[in-house]
Amino acid sequence: MSISKENINDYIIKNYPETDTNELAARLNMTVCALRSRANRLGIKKDDCYMNNLYNNLQEKRKENFEKSITSLSLNQTERNIIIGSLLGDGSFALYGRSKNAHYREHGGNSQIDYRKWKAEKLKNVGFKFNNNCKYGKLSSISHPIYTELYNLFYINGVKTITQENISLLDHPIGLACLYMDDGSLIINSSSKVKDEIYIFPQVLLYSLSFSLEENIILKKHIDNQFDICFDLKKRPDGQNYILNISRRNELMKFIELVSPYVKEIDCMRYKVNVEERLLQKRKELAQTNIYNKISIGSLKVIDNGYSQNDEYIIICLKKKGCKDKEIAEKLNKTYWGTVDKIRRLRQEGRL
C-alpha cells in the first residue's frame, strides 16, 4: 500500500486504535517499534473495546490449548474405590492458587511406605506416582478434571465431608480395605468377670474422628447396606467424638474376610487381618504373667443367621445353573457383597 508521507499520520490516527499493530505496520512498510513510537507521539492509543476483545480472544485460545494438553483419563471401579477409600482416610485433594484442577496427595509414616507404593502401582494408569525424594515418600496424582469432580463432591467449603451422594461411590471391598488400612485397627481386648479367669476377643475400629456424628451415621448405614456389615457408633472424647466399631464375632469376621484379599497383598498391613495369630499372641503374653488360671478365646466361626436353609438351597441351585452372583442377590433380596460372602462360605464348606 502506497501512502504519502503527508497522509501517514492521518492513516495511523484513523486505523491504529482498532487494528492489529503487526498488520498495520506491514501495510505502512514500517517496523512495529516505529509505528508504536509514532502513535505515541500522536497521542493515539488502542481502543478499550478492541483491547478487551483481544484479551478475551487470547484467554479463549489459552483455554483451548490447555484443554488440548489434558490427558484423557477415566477411573474403573477398582481405581475409584482405592482413591475414595484413601480419601476417607489419610488422603486429600488439593485445589488452590492458579491451579485449574485438583490433584490427590498423601503422606504417612515410614512403616507405610510399601502401602503407598502398592497404591501407586494400582493407580499408575490414572496419573499417580510415589515420590522417594521426600521424607517417608509421598503419593500424589497429576492435576486433572476428573479429580476436580471428586474434589467438588467431597469438599464443602473446603472441608472434606461425607454425604449420601458421595459415599455411594464406595462400592467395592478394595475401597473399604483402603479405609481400614488408612484409619482402622484390629485391637485385642480382654474381659475378666471371674477371678483368675479372662476372656480375650478381637475388635475392629475405624477412626472416623474427623467426621461428625451425622457423617459417621451415613458411613455406618452405607457399609451395612452396601457390604452387609454392621458397625456400631462409639463415642470418644477426641476429634468430633465418634468412631465406628465392631466387636460382635459374626460382623467382625465377615469384615475381616471381606477386606483380607487386598490387605494381604501388602506385608506391612497383614497384622490388621491376622485375627487368630493376634489372639494367640495375646494369650501367650497373658499366660506369662501367671495371673490367670484360665484364658479363653471365643470361636471365630461365622454363623450365617441371615440366610435360611431355603436361601442356601436357592443359592446352590442357581449357582449350579450358572447364574451370576448379582442375579442371585436380587432373587434373594440380599446385598450383593453379602451374597458373594455367603457363596464363598458355601464353597469353603464343600457345598458348592
Side-chain angles (χ1 to χ4, degrees), residues 81-188:
N81 272 268
I82 292 173
I83 292 169
I84 292 171
S86 301
L87 181 62
L88 295 173
D90 294 334
S92 64
F93 279 118
L95 179 59
Y96 49 73
R98 298 178 65 185
S99 177
K100 292 184 179 295
N101 287 303
H103 71 278
Y104 179 92
R105 59 186 183 181
E106 179 183 322
H107 298 272
N110 192 53
S111 62
Q112 294 182 336
I113 283 179
D114 287 343
Y115 175 41
R116 292 194 295 284
K117 286 182 177 179
W118 174 84
K119 288 183 185 180
E121 178 63 25
K122 293 285 186 184
L123 300 171
K124 64 183 180 182
N125 292 330
V126 290
F128 275 66
K129 289 184 178 181
F130 178 79
N131 184 357
N132 277 307
N133 295 325
C134 56
K135 190 175 183 180
Y136 305 132
K138 175 185 176 184
L139 177 69
S140 61
S141 76
I142 60 172
S143 296
H144 196 275
I146 202 166
Y147 300 132
T148 306
E149 290 177 16
L150 288 175
Y151 175 90
N152 290 332
L153 266 179
F154 279 89
Y155 285 77
I156 297 176
N157 296 323
V159 178
K160 192 192 305 182
T161 306
I162 295 175
T163 67
Q164 297 283 3
E165 180 185 9
N166 63 36
I167 200 61
S168 66
L169 296 176
L170 185 73
D171 59 4
H172 190 284
I174 199 168
L176 192 58
C178 287
L179 171 57
Y180 178 53
M181 287 187 281
D182 273 36
D183 269 353
S185 292
L186 171 62
I187 305 295
I188 305 302

Side-chain angles (χ1 to χ4, degrees), residues 7-70:
N7 294 329
I8 285 179
N9 287 347
D10 291 339
Y11 193 86
I12 292 173
I13 292 169
K14 180 180 178 181
N15 292 281
Y16 185 81
E18 296 183 0
T19 305
D20 178 83
T21 305
N22 291 306
E23 180 185 334
L24 187 59
R27 287 184 201 172
L28 297 171
N29 196 26
M30 300 173 66
T31 66
V32 170
C33 184
L35 175 58
R36 284 176 176 159
S37 294
R38 182 171 293 205
N40 186 52
R41 288 197 302 272
L42 293 169
I44 306 301
K45 296 182 179 180
K46 292 293 186 184
D47 181 75
D48 288 343
C49 185
Y50 171 82
M51 292 302 294
N52 285 334
N53 287 335
L54 189 67
Y55 175 78
N56 290 335
N57 290 337
L58 179 61
Q59 290 297 97
E60 283 297 316
K61 190 67 176 176
R62 285 177 176 172
K63 182 180 178 182
E64 183 181 332
N65 291 336
F66 173 75
E67 289 174 351
K68 284 181 180 178
S69 71
I70 295 173

Side-chain angles (χ1 to χ4, degrees), residues 197-328:
E197 295 183 9
I198 193 167
Y199 174 73
I200 55 176
F201 58 93
Q203 188 176 27
V204 162
L205 302 176
L206 290 181
Y207 293 100
S208 46
L209 288 160
S210 62
F211 300 111
S212 68
L213 171 60
E214 292 76 15
E215 291 170 282
N216 271 283
I217 291 172
I218 291 172
L219 179 59
K220 173 187 180 306
K221 287 182 177 179
H222 177 74
I223 294 173
D224 191 4
N225 293 333
Q226 182 69 47
F227 302 107
D228 196 28
I229 295 170
C230 186
F231 276 82
D232 297 313
L233 283 167
K234 185 174 183 180
K235 197 161 187 180
R236 294 265 299 212
D238 48 343
Q240 295 205 50
N241 304 128
Y242 287 92
I243 62 173
L244 298 184
N245 160 71
I246 300 178
S247 55
R248 288 166 291 166
R249 175 190 60 195
N250 264 23
E251 301 303 315
L252 185 143
M253 291 309 299
K254 279 163 57 182
F255 173 79
I256 291 294
E257 289 174 11
L258 182 67
V259 302
S260 281
Y262 314 103
V263 178
K264 286 182 176 178
E265 291 182 12
I266 310 141
D267 288 343
C268 66
M269 288 291 165
R270 289 187 177 186
Y271 72 99
K272 292 195 174 191
V273 293
N274 289 338
V275 182
E276 186 173 1
E277 182 181 315
R278 298 274 300 277
L279 285 168
L280 293 175
Q281 178 61 33
K282 182 70 173 180
R283 183 170 68 179
K284 181 180 178 181
E285 292 171 3
L286 290 171
Q288 290 173 344
T289 65
N290 296 317
I291 296 173
Y292 305 102
N293 292 322
K294 184 179 180 181
I295 303 172
S296 301
I297 299 177
S299 170
L300 298 178
K301 181 178 174 60
V302 173
I303 301 172
D304 291 315
N305 296 321
Y307 291 83
S308 66
Q309 287 185 339
N310 187 55
D311 290 337
E312 293 178 348
Y313 174 76
I314 291 172
I315 291 172
I316 292 168
C317 289
L318 292 177
K319 283 305 289 183
K320 286 182 177 178
K321 289 180 181 179
C323 289
K324 294 182 178 179
D325 295 354
K326 185 177 180 180
E327 296 171 336
I328 297 171

Side-chain angles (χ1 to χ4, degrees), residues 319-347:
K319 283 305 289 183
K320 286 182 177 178
K321 289 180 181 179
C323 289
K324 294 182 178 179
D325 295 354
K326 185 177 180 180
E327 296 171 336
I328 297 171
E330 290 172 353
K331 177 77 173 177
L332 296 173
N333 195 27
K334 302 284 189 180
T335 65
Y336 171 72
W337 290 110
T339 303
V340 170
D341 182 63
K342 179 61 181 177
I343 292 169
R344 183 181 59 79
R345 294 182 193 284
L346 288 171
R347 287 198 175 108

